[in-house]
Amino acid sequence: MSDLRTHTLIIGCGIGGAAAALRLSDDPSHHVTIITRSPEAKSSNTAWAQGGIVTRGLEDSPDLLVNDILNAGAGLSSPRAARLLAEEGPALVQSVLIERAGVHFDRTEDDELIYGLEAAHSTRRIIHVGDKTGGAIIAEMLATLKRCPNVTLLTNHTAVDLITFPHHSLDPLDAYEPMTCHGAYVLDRDSGEIHRVLAAHTILATGGLGQIYRNTTNPRGSRGDGIAMAWRANVRVINAEYVQFHPTALSVRGAPNLLISEAVRGEGAVLLTPNGEPFMHRYDPVWKELAPRDVVARAIHSELLEHGYEHVLLDIASKRDAAFIRDRFPQLVETAAQFGLDPTREPIPVVPAAHYFCGGVLVDDWGRTSFDNLYAVGEVACTGLHGANRLASTSLLEGLVWGDRAARHVLERQRDPIALNRVPEWRYIGVDEPDPALLEGDMTTIKNVMWHYVGLVRTEERLARADRELRHLAHEIENFYRRARLNDALIGLRNAIQVARTITFAAQRNKVSRGTHYRADEQRDIQDVLMRRS
């Protein structure tokens, strides 16, 4: 790839980026360029989503979904965003996923959609493709995009930094103009060269940041790239302290922390101590296993710390027959078998793991950021929908809705990208190949610091320790970055340390426990805090 110009650059190709591209492809004169750092386009957070996608159930209504979202969000979810999702989302599931992309969601013998139940939902409204829903969705969306002649998909391409004005402008008079985005500097991982991709509109769709934690359900590329690029450009990022930990990731020594879908508990699975005793009734006597994720994750974390357990157990075998489990959760059965486990016959060991970033780049109802021409959709964005704790299976629908809305807004503002001579070429500074031992060591340090000090339970002392250690490490990594020739791992390391510091800073500032942000040492009633402030 060489320098290029395109109408819209989409960085990332999960459901948010793919939804935007599909809508933009409707205008044959509008050229779309999608880049992904992965060798395969389907390798995204979307592909790892198992449980399903929210739509409108048989005994459901927009009001009911809005209420569930707001309750799960612990008082921080935007009612406007929740209403928008509840009103527009189900129609897009039908028109984009089912009709246009041809996703085959699970159905009854009478060809009716099967609706699942998950934590904190008051009714069955989640549709699914076994427990491989995200993979099925993105496979069909990408197959549909391949048939669009005005869409170019570039794999093995890593965004290095956003091109923003006035910062990158060669015209000093642009200092008096509003802040705008004009594309990105992009590393071609095959050639090692960095090129300018100039775009009239840029859509961040880079996904999450779970890989900055030791235990995570996210794929390797989830390093917070989009958040870090936005932060460096001074784009507004909010709610960074709210990192959601999934309660149930497979815990087998030597195995990755593979997600075990929320839907397993939705179908009746119970959590047990290693001694076989249920415990969720002690933490939430009403919802028990179906309490919001932050409650369940902290309950498990508490059991692990208090009793020294390495894991707890998730038991679906005693609640459902083997045929149902194999049919409903084929990925769980297949994955467990690789490690000598059989969830149709026995409970399986689980621990919490970093799963979803509820904060992100602040956007409005149309996905617009604080920079002109720059949009963000999916997990990298903060629409306000998730507040302090995301409601299960709303993330895929959020990506679909805001991806579609961002594209609609772009199509109303058709323009051409700026000329290449207005932006400097990438300046190569470092020439040495980065030492992989340093890359791995620094990344491991970030993961451990974040897991122990900025994880499920936080205190002032832990956060202060994290701040000191990350500040020192950031200095070392920045020097490393400037001495070495860039590759994907070094770019990711620089992004990871930036995002880790952003989360730590936000967690230090927020003294109030709410949702996924739990301060063990400074818990105060939220209403009391608000009264004191007034």
Side-chain angles (χ1 to χ4, degrees), residues 50-67:
Q50 296 181 21
I53 183 171
V54 165
T55 185
R56 192 164 298 153
L58 297 177
E59 299 177 357
D60 204 0
S61 70
D63 288 344
L64 203 56
L65 177 55
V66 168
N67 288 337

Side-chain angles (χ1 to χ4, degrees), residues 100-257:
R100 183 169 184 178
V103 180
H104 297 288
F105 291 103
D106 292 345
R107 294 177 179 268
T108 66
E109 293 180 355
D110 297 326
D111 202 35
E112 299 292 334
L113 287 168
I114 298 173
Y115 297 94
L117 178 68
E118 294 186 7
H121 286 272
S122 56
T123 188
R124 288 182 173 269
R125 60 164 68 98
I126 295 100
I127 58 175
H128 46 78
V129 182
D131 56 354
K132 301 179 181 181
T133 306
I137 287 174
I138 200 59
E140 297 297 346
M141 294 182 84
L142 290 173
T144 305
L145 282 171
K146 284 184 179 179
R147 299 191 289 270
C148 302
N150 56 329
V151 176
T152 300
L153 174 59
L154 300 173
T155 58
N156 254 5
H157 283 73
T158 301
V160 181
D161 264 319
L162 296 173
I163 295 173
T164 56
F165 280 15
H167 179 69
H168 291 108
S169 176
L170 292 172
D171 184 353
L173 295 181
D174 280 333
Y176 306 111
E177 300 300 322
M179 292 182 290
T180 56
C181 181
H182 297 282
Y185 290 106
V186 175
L187 169 70
D188 182 335
R189 296 181 63 183
D190 293 325
S191 70
E193 298 298 313
I194 296 173
H195 303 282
R196 295 167 292 179
V197 180
L198 298 186
H201 315 276
T202 302
I203 300 177
L204 280 175
T206 52
L209 46 74
Q211 282 293 332
I212 69 170
Y213 286 91
R214 189 180 72 183
N215 295 333
T216 181
T217 63
N218 290 185
R220 288 185 61 85
S222 298
R223 316 168 297 199
D225 288 0
I227 300 292
M229 288 191 294
W231 182 273
R232 286 195 294 270
N234 206 30
V235 181
R236 191 177 177 196
V237 174
I238 70 167
N239 291 358
E241 63 267 45
Y242 298 110
V243 179
Q244 185 181 73
F245 290 78
H246 198 286
T248 52
L250 184 65
S251 178
V252 177
R253 195 176 298 276
N257 292 115

Side-chain angles (χ1 to χ4, degrees), residues 332-350:
L332 170 60
V333 174
E334 177 184 331
T335 300
Q338 296 174 17
F339 303 101
L341 301 172
D342 185 356
T344 70
R345 297 168 59 88
E346 60 188 341
I348 52 178
V350 296

Side-chain angles (χ1 to χ4, degrees), residues 401-423:
V401 170
W402 264 267
D404 187 81
R405 288 180 69 85
R408 283 155 53 194
H409 192 270
V410 165
L411 291 174
E412 292 175 357
R413 305 171 71 238
Q414 294 278 16
R415 61 182 69 175
D416 292 322
I418 61 173
L420 284 167
N421 61 12
R422 294 190 61 189
V423 177

Side-chain angles (χ1 to χ4, degrees), residues 293-357:
R293 285 179 174 176
D294 64 306
V295 175
V296 181
R298 279 198 301 274
I300 295 173
H301 184 71
S302 178
E303 292 290 314
L304 300 182
L305 289 180
E306 183 176 349
H307 302 288
Y309 302 145
E310 289 188 358
H311 56 256
V312 296
L313 299 174
L314 183 67
D315 176 25
I316 184 71
S318 67
K319 304 299 178 181
R320 292 284 192 167
D321 63 58
F324 175 87
I325 297 170
R326 292 191 190 97
D327 181 64
R328 179 66 178 87
F329 303 112
Q331 183 165 301
L332 170 60
V333 174
E334 177 184 331
T335 300
Q338 296 174 17
F339 303 101
L341 301 172
D342 185 356
T344 70
R345 297 168 59 88
E346 60 188 341
I348 52 178
V350 296
V351 293
H355 183 58
Y356 194 89
F357 187 43

